[in-house]
Amino acid sequence: MVLCICMLFGKVYAAESQWKIEHTLDKESCTQGDTLQLSVSLKGESKSKTTEITTLSGILEYDTSLFSVGKEDILPSGKETVKECTFDAAAGKFTIVYNSKISAKDADELLQIRLHVAEDSSVGKTTVCVTNMEWSGADGKEKQEMEHRVPAHITIQPSKSTAPGDVNGDGKVDLVDAKLVMQYYNGEDVLDEVQQKNADTNGDGLINLIDVKQIMQYYNGEIDGFVTGQTGTSVT
């Protein structure tokens, strides 16, 4: 299951006015063990129109087998005036109570929510959604969002892991990997950070012909694994 970025709109009604809530994820896709950030902003009315908020609440709908969220991951705006912030991870219910009213207008961010992707999460597409947003204004009246759910979509991809010798990450150590190391050594190709770690088969911090030789030896069955120069441990 995976996550991509999308916007979620809900209609919130104040006296003789209409507001919308906009939700935005900071990434279109992520990997296992990654962290996402969902921003919730106020939309609608004119640029000069403001609303006053004393409490703010809502429900984060997410798959708890894919993501973990704690109280510390609920990040309200105006945090210096927050009296209390609660979060029920199982239900996804959050409530923010302010010591004094805060003002918000069009495009102002109400809060951010961090979502931590589990290291062993399933990969693929999934969704996250904030619903039932409501606030209490300075007059004590609640303005509740209309039921309108448009989830944000995200794609979760496998995490990149280091595997000495497997430069292209296809799960095999073969002549293709040796060729990639040779091309990198000759300045004919570039490798990303993970690929460079995998190319440095002896762990000496260099990528050179020694690494090419070790990959070919492993492929030909002349060695059973790689011995890193930094740790002195064999990697098979």
Side-chain angles (χ1 to χ4, degrees), residues 153-186:
H153 299 269
I154 300 175
T155 299
I156 302 176
Q157 300 175 340
S159 62
K160 293 183 178 180
S161 58
T162 57
D166 183 14
V167 182
N168 65 351
D170 64 354
K172 300 178 293 182
V173 177
D174 52 25
L175 297 181
V176 175
D177 300 299
K179 181 180 179 180
L180 285 173
V181 177
M182 178 67 79
Q183 290 175 328
Y184 178 82
Y185 176 72
N186 291 328

Side-chain angles (χ1 to χ4, degrees), residues 1-233:
M1 295 180 171
V2 191
L3 274 178
C4 178
I5 206 171
C6 191
M7 293 184 175
L8 176 126
F9 298 92
K11 296 183 179 179
V12 180
Y13 291 89
E16 301 180 356
S17 65
Q18 179 175 316
W19 296 94
K20 293 189 293 185
I21 303 298
E22 182 180 74
H23 302 70
T24 308
L25 282 164
D26 66 338
K27 299 179 183 180
E28 295 183 356
S29 66
C30 61
T31 59
Q32 295 167 318
D34 203 352
T35 296
L36 303 170
Q37 189 155 281
L38 180 68
S39 297
V40 182
S41 302
L42 188 63
K43 294 292 182 180
E45 292 294 342
S46 66
K47 294 294 183 181
S48 60
K49 181 71 175 181
T50 63
T51 185
E52 295 178 336
I53 300 172
T54 56
T55 67
L56 182 68
S57 65
I59 296 175
L60 173 65
E61 296 184 353
Y62 67 110
D63 189 333
T64 55
S65 70
L66 302 179
F67 307 101
S68 63
V69 181
K71 175 183 174 181
E72 67 280 2
D73 297 313
I74 306 299
L75 310 171
S77 61
K79 57 184 178 182
E80 65 281 354
T81 63
V82 171
K83 178 181 179 181
E84 182 183 13
C85 179
T86 62
F87 179 65
D88 182 339
K93 173 74 173 181
F94 61 86
T95 301
I96 302 161
V97 180
Y98 292 93
N99 278 311
S100 59
K101 64 185 180 183
I102 64 168
S103 295
K105 62 180 184 298
D106 179 55
D108 279 356
E109 189 174 76
L110 297 177
L111 76 153
Q112 294 179 338
I113 303 175
R114 288 190 301 238
L115 300 101
H116 306 285
V117 186
E119 296 282 355
D120 59 350
S121 67
S122 301
V123 298
K125 296 181 179 179
T126 188
T127 61
V128 60
C129 188
V130 175
T131 62
N132 300 95
M133 285 285 294
E134 63 182 28
W135 68 64
S136 294
D139 57 2
K141 295 181 179 179
E142 292 186 344
K143 295 85 178 176
Q144 185 171 353
E145 173 189 12
M146 293 180 64
E147 288 298 327
H148 182 68
R149 304 183 180 190
V150 181
H153 299 269
I154 300 175
T155 299
I156 302 176
Q157 300 175 340
S159 62
K160 293 183 178 180
S161 58
T162 57
D166 183 14
V167 182
N168 65 351
D170 64 354
K172 300 178 293 182
V173 177
D174 52 25
L175 297 181
V176 175
D177 300 299
K179 181 180 179 180
L180 285 173
V181 177
M182 178 67 79
Q183 290 175 328
Y184 178 82
Y185 176 72
N186 291 328
E188 300 171 1
D189 203 352
V190 295
L191 301 176
D192 62 29
E193 184 177 351
V194 173
Q195 289 175 322
Q196 289 182 42
K197 289 181 179 179
N198 292 343
D200 183 16
T201 57
N202 65 347
D204 64 355
L206 303 173
I207 299 174
N208 51 32
L209 297 179
I210 295 175
D211 302 300
V212 176
K213 181 180 178 180
Q214 286 197 345
I215 290 174
M216 294 181 67
Q217 288 176 324
Y218 181 86
Y219 175 72
N220 291 325
E222 298 172 16
I223 59 175
D224 295 328
F226 303 104
V227 178
T228 65
Q230 292 180 338
T231 64
T233 57

